[in-house]
Amino acid sequence: MTLLDYLIRGLSLGSIYAIIALGYTMVYGIAKMLNFAHGDVIMVGAYACFFTVTGMSPMFEEGSVAAMVVPALAGVVLSMVVCTALGVVIEGLAYKPLRQAPSLAVLITAIGVSYFLQNAALLLWSSSPKIFSPIVGSGQLQVGPLNISYVTLVTIVACIVIMVCLTLFTGKTKMGKAMRAVSEDKGAAQLMGINVNRTISMTFAIGSALAAIAGVLLCSAYPTLTPTTGSMPGIKAFTAAVFGGIGSIPGALMGGLLLGIIEIFASAYISTQLSTAVVFGVLIVVLLVKPAGLLGKTVREKV
């Protein structure tokens, strides 16, 4: 049963990485840029949820259903709204002027935005850790000899639902098809009447909304919130996106889940200090064998 327990914990952690990686892979797939500020958008979303829940909880009778449901729901919704707006603002102010700039300039700008958000959070909310209460409570579900927390269940289900919704959105809706067209060829898409700037802004909005959900789930599972909360999960989720094949939505899901499982098993059977090194070691091996990632496609450029 210990093995099953580790597997479930790995799927839970991997689901969080997968949701974050979906934001990375959408932005890269369509705008062809790496948004390294994505991890800090996660942190902003978690703070937005924390302050909403903290502010609204005293309005309801302690222990009532309303006290458990309404603040949590409001916190998640407001977190998504704040992160969506933040993502659009970041794209408009920091990345849009660099559409034709070299990729190195965009990368440096993304790192600058990341440090700006971290230090702004430090000034606004200090470095003191905040204790984040899980949005679905701290209860557990008994499945035979296994105890599965509500947070774990919600995280896995949320990951599956988001994956299905994104797949349907990109495959069936007009905006989703526009995103795929922009990803394929921006110039040709523009000639066909697609508003490239609006499409890229929508991509950032969706990616940032996913970051908000990931931030809430991350802090529900690991309930300590600081201005650097999103940094390492952001890097690991980027690793998951590369692992699965950056630019591929199913690849982001597969990469995130595998990464979470590898990290949990490495912590349990090798060393908690070396688990991160094991994760990156596996990534190096996979990229040596399959440079485009597990589900990535190698693109040949004609010269």
Side-chain angles (χ1 to χ4, degrees):
M1 278 304 135
T2 304
L3 189 68
L4 258 180
D5 186 50
Y6 287 143
L7 181 61
I8 291 167
R9 285 171 56 196
L11 287 173
S12 176
L13 179 60
S15 296
I16 296 171
Y17 288 155
I19 295 170
I20 305 170
L22 284 169
Y24 272 115
T25 210
M26 283 192 70
V27 170
Y28 180 82
I30 290 153
K32 293 293 182 286
M33 62 158 291
L34 298 173
N35 179 23
F36 278 115
H38 193 65
D40 300 289
V41 176
I42 294 167
M43 171 268 298
V44 172
Y47 270 110
C49 183
F50 171 79
F51 286 117
T52 303
V53 172
T54 304
M56 290 187 68
S57 292
M59 300 178 186
F60 301 92
E61 184 182 347
E62 189 176 351
S64 65
V65 175
M68 292 185 288
V69 174
V70 177
L73 190 60
V76 173
V77 172
L78 186 63
S79 173
M80 291 177 68
V81 170
V82 168
C83 286
T84 300
L86 180 62
V88 172
V89 169
I90 289 172
E91 191 276 330
L93 293 179
Y95 302 141
K96 188 176 177 181
L98 300 174
R99 286 273 195 273
Q100 307 303 322
S103 56
L104 182 60
V106 180
L107 181 63
I108 292 170
T109 302
I111 294 170
V113 172
S114 172
Y115 281 121
F116 172 79
L117 290 175
Q118 282 186 29
N119 285 280
L122 194 62
L123 288 171
L124 287 170
W125 304 308
S126 81
S127 60
S128 303
K130 306 284 190 296
I131 305 303
F132 193 100
S133 300
I135 56 163
V136 291
S138 54
Q140 292 185 330
L141 182 69
Q142 184 84 25
V143 182
L146 276 178
N147 289 319
I148 305 172
S149 69
Y150 292 153
V151 173
T152 297
L153 284 174
V154 169
T155 301
I156 295 171
V157 170
C159 179
I160 294 167
V161 170
I162 288 168
M163 172 66 188
V164 171
C165 290
L166 270 182
T167 303
L168 292 174
F169 174 77
T170 55
K172 302 292 184 183
T173 66
K174 186 177 179 180
M175 178 55 74
K177 291 175 182 177
M179 287 178 176
R180 288 162 58 196
V182 171
S183 172
E184 198 71 32
D185 190 324
K186 289 188 182 68
Q190 198 161 16
L191 288 173
M192 295 302 291
I194 295 171
N195 188 326
V196 173
N197 286 332
R198 188 179 68 183
T199 304
I200 292 175
S201 294
M202 179 61 71
T203 306
F204 269 85
I206 294 171
S208 299
L210 293 180
I213 297 170
V216 171
L217 293 173
L218 175 68
C219 290
S220 294
Y222 303 93
T224 304
L225 177 58
T226 66
T228 57
T229 289
S231 297
M232 186 52 71
I235 292 170
K236 288 180 179 178
F238 170 66
T239 303
V242 175
F243 190 23
I246 194 159
S248 166
I249 291 177
L253 176 69
M254 180 184 284
L257 293 177
L258 286 175
L259 199 78
I261 291 168
I262 291 168
E263 183 174 339
I264 292 297
F265 274 93
S267 297
Y269 293 110
I270 300 175
S271 165
T272 52
Q273 286 82 15
L274 293 176
S275 60
T276 302
V278 171
V279 165
F280 287 110
V282 170
L283 173 69
I284 291 168
V285 172
V286 169
L287 292 182
L288 285 172
V289 176
K290 204 169 187 306
L294 295 176
L295 298 183
K297 294 179 181 177
T298 303
V299 179
R300 290 186 175 90
E301 291 188 12
K302 294 181 179 179
V303 294

